[in-house]
Amino acid sequence: MAGTEQLEKLRPVGGLEQYATARHHLRFFYNAGVTADYTLPSTYALPAKEYIYKACETLIAQHPILSAIPVAEETKEPYFVRLPQIDLNGSVSFHERAVGFPDAEDAQDEDLEALLKIQHNRGFEPPLPYWRLCVLTHEKDERRFTAAFIFHHALSDGESGKAFHRTFLRALQGLETLGIRDGTTGIVKTPEMPLLPTLEQAHPLPLSWWFIATTLFKAKVWSPARNPGLWTGGRIASSLETDVRHFAVSGASSSAFRDVCRKNGTTVTGALQTIVARSLFKHLPDSYTQLDCACNVSTRRWHMGVITMDSIGDWVNGFNETLDRANLTLPSFPWEEARRARETIEGVLNLQGRDMAPALLKYVDDFKEELFLSKVGRERDSSFEISNIGAVGLKEAQDSAMPRMGRMTFSQSANVTGSAIAVSSVTGADGCLVLTFVWQKGVVDEDLMSSLIPTVKADLLSLCVE
């Protein structure tokens, strides 16, 4: 990129990070985002912008990846450089709500949905950072705001989005004595700190010979014929336009849902996978008898040294699960399938990072051609994706005399070569579960989504009264 040659070079982009830079360069995937609502106490007398800017200064000082951008995305050897400073006036934007804040725990946030539709269709360009904070405000409630942290996937994953907001909340809570003379111009000098290690540097990612052999055999020699009953939406098309919809579940219903999952021997993720598949089958023709679910899990649980739950970076793994119509369209909810989903997830976690798909990226010579461009026009492999990043994980009860966090939303752009539908979920500090659905226009019929989303919500809520 022109203008970046003189910037401090940090380290090469890792394999998983290069997967993100390659598809961002091709405009096959733009970004992901984690959003949170905040309320400032009456003792915070300055305009909210002052506190937001100061909190951003704290985050930039603590997380060096926020001042790093990947360059040479178009090449086989991208790398990170450090921006010498960040102008928050370009990275933080303020937007007035047209509808207002949701008036109930489970009410739809129409203003946020409109914002996310715009943000998930925009990539990043230097010299701005490869993240942005989009703040929704309303003139009738100056103490409240909604902050959407939108990020390039090489810089951050969903768990890191939660870490961003936990750090942001702590920073806000440390600004009780902020005075008008302490205000900022918005120009922040970046820290001289090394980047945290890549997934490949932090974990040995061991591969068994059997895993390598079977994977290469399927890729290079022979792979099973595609099931004619598998639904995966339209063929892979490179023109990416993302549509976004979401819904929230009240705190009481979210708690009841977790309890019924536990009672029936599964997890929220396992149940969500089953609910989405069951709901899809209700609206697909009977000729479609199979679905493929892609599921993502964080790798940072595997003792990766300096990487903690409060670190920001890209450390994820993915796996796939096949679901059959016959097992999901029973009169009563198929808890056995939800338990099977939980067992699959536990099996992946028990591997402790062995035989992970990201470990195979070192065998890829040309990311753009082999992983993306060569797939255009072909059938996609996956029907839907479940990315559940769980609860935000605040360790202490929130004090009403201090800044507080409320509802959270996890979302992402559609993925040109990925699942036809992506479902992202998170439980915020208010205890409310929020599900966000995204899809690529032209790949999934809008009428299908208009039918699917209310069905998913109804099926989920029906379990809360068991």
Side-chain angles (χ1 to χ4, degrees):
M1 287 284 184
T4 59
E5 296 86 354
Q6 304 304 315
L7 297 180
E8 178 189 357
K9 188 172 182 178
L10 298 173
R11 63 162 171 79
V13 165
L16 186 61
E17 294 166 341
Q18 190 171 355
Y19 184 89
T21 59
R23 64 179 181 171
H24 177 265
H25 173 72
L26 293 170
R27 299 299 187 252
F28 277 22
F29 182 92
Y30 287 111
N31 54 53
V34 178
T35 303
D37 290 345
Y38 291 91
T39 301
L40 300 177
S42 58
T43 53
Y44 279 55
L46 300 179
K49 178 180 178 179
E50 298 293 330
Y51 299 104
I52 292 168
Y53 270 28
K54 275 293 185 181
C56 284
E57 283 188 15
T58 299
L59 266 75
I60 291 167
Q62 292 181 7
H63 299 288
I65 193 66
L66 295 180
S67 51
I69 63 172
V71 299
E73 283 191 327
E74 72 283 5
T75 74
K76 293 184 180 181
E77 297 181 346
Y79 57 94
F80 282 109
V81 298
R82 193 192 320 274
L83 297 173
Q85 64 181 28
I86 291 176
D87 184 354
L88 295 177
N89 299 296
S91 298
V92 182
S93 58
F94 292 84
H95 312 263
E96 182 71 14
R97 285 179 174 273
V99 178
F101 290 99
D103 56 6
E105 277 191 331
D106 58 353
Q108 184 181 14
D109 191 336
E110 297 179 39
D111 294 310
L112 175 60
E113 192 165 283
L115 177 76
L116 293 176
K117 282 184 181 181
I118 295 171
Q119 293 302 317
H120 288 319
N121 283 290
R122 285 182 53 204
F124 299 93
E125 297 287 345
L128 290 175
Y130 275 35
W131 61 272
R132 44 188 181 260
L133 193 67
C134 306
V135 181
L136 286 168
T137 60
H138 195 264
E139 60 181 0
K140 293 183 179 180
D141 195 343
E142 296 180 349
R143 299 294 92 198
R144 292 181 66 186
F145 62 89
T146 301
F149 172 52
I150 308 295
F151 51 85
H152 187 300
H153 218 318
L155 271 66
S156 175
D157 55 23
E159 284 285 343
S160 300
K162 290 195 303 182
F164 177 97
H165 282 288
R166 287 194 298 267
T167 310
F168 190 80
L169 179 64
R170 287 195 296 268
L172 287 174
Q173 291 173 341
L175 297 175
E176 191 173 12
T177 60
L178 185 71
I180 191 66
R181 293 184 179 181
D182 302 315
T184 174
T185 62
I187 307 299
V188 183
K189 188 178 185 302
T190 57
E192 296 180 0
M193 298 167 60
L195 296 184
L196 289 172
T198 67
L199 173 60
E200 298 82 2
Q201 292 170 333
H203 194 286
L205 301 181
L207 291 169
S208 67
W209 283 110
W210 174 252
F211 182 75
I212 295 173
T214 53
T215 303
L216 291 177
F217 184 78
K218 290 178 181 178
K220 304 293 185 181
V221 182
W222 178 85
S223 59
R226 178 186 173 92
N227 186 328
L230 175 64
W231 179 86
T232 56
R235 288 179 179 269
I236 294 171
S238 59
S239 53
L240 177 57
E241 183 179 359
T242 297
D243 208 344
V244 183
R245 292 186 198 172
H246 79 288
F247 68 78
V249 180
S250 71
S253 293
S254 297
S255 179
F257 180 55
R258 289 192 297 274
D259 289 344
V260 75
C261 289
R262 192 178 302 111
K263 175 184 174 183
N264 286 278
T266 190
T267 60
V268 167
T269 303
L272 288 177
Q273 176 180 306
T274 307
I275 291 170
V276 173
R278 179 176 164 88
S279 300
L280 260 174
F281 277 130
K282 289 180 180 178
H283 299 290
L284 291 173
D286 290 344
S287 57
Y288 289 111
T289 58
Q290 192 175 84
L291 296 169
D292 180 276
C293 173
C295 191
N296 295 317
V297 296
S298 172
T299 65
R300 67 182 75 200
R301 69 192 76 208
W302 292 322
H303 312 296
M304 299 203 302
V306 296
I307 297 168
T308 70
M309 296 308 292
D310 279 335
S311 299
I312 296 181
D314 187 18
W315 305 290
V316 294
N317 180 33
F319 63 92
N320 290 67
E321 175 103 63
T322 299
L323 303 104
D324 295 316
R325 178 186 284 272
N327 299 328
L328 288 158
T329 51
L330 306 172
S332 58
F333 187 77
W335 285 110
E336 186 60 36
E337 282 296 291
R339 285 189 286 271
R340 185 173 72 89
R342 183 214 74 204
E343 290 167 1
T344 300
I345 296 168
E346 288 180 349
V348 172
L349 296 179
N350 289 338
L351 289 173
Q352 295 284 302
R354 287 182 287 115
D355 290 343
M356 286 203 318
L360 295 170
L361 293 173
K362 62 186 176 184
Y363 297 110
V364 177
D365 176 59
D366 188 330
F367 277 67
K368 291 194 295 296
E369 182 58 37
E370 294 178 42
L371 301 180
F372 302 109
L373 293 174
S374 62
K375 296 182 179 181
V376 174
R378 292 163 52 183
E379 297 277 8
R380 66 191 66 245
D381 296 324
S382 177
S383 313
F384 68 97
E385 171 188 319
I386 295 289
S387 291
N388 175 33
I389 58 174
V392 63
L394 296 182
K395 296 179 180 179
E396 299 176 359
Q398 298 193 83
D399 183 350
S400 61
M402 298 294 287
R404 289 170 291 150
M405 186 195 298
R407 180 193 289 189
M408 295 192 84
T409 304
F410 176 34
S411 57
Q412 57 186 310
S413 74
N415 184 353
V416 164
T417 57
S419 303
I421 301 166
V423 183
S424 306
S425 61
V426 64
T427 301
D430 59 352
C432 296
L433 173 68
V434 176
L435 270 63
T436 307
F437 298 74
V438 302
W439 66 97
Q440 183 181 353
K441 286 192 173 182
V443 166
V444 181
D445 187 79
E446 190 162 340
D447 289 340
L448 172 61
M449 297 305 300
S450 295
S451 301
L452 172 67
I453 296 169
T455 302
V456 170
K457 184 174 184 179
D459 282 2
L460 191 160
L461 291 176
S462 71
L463 299 178
C464 300
V465 294
E466 282 196 356

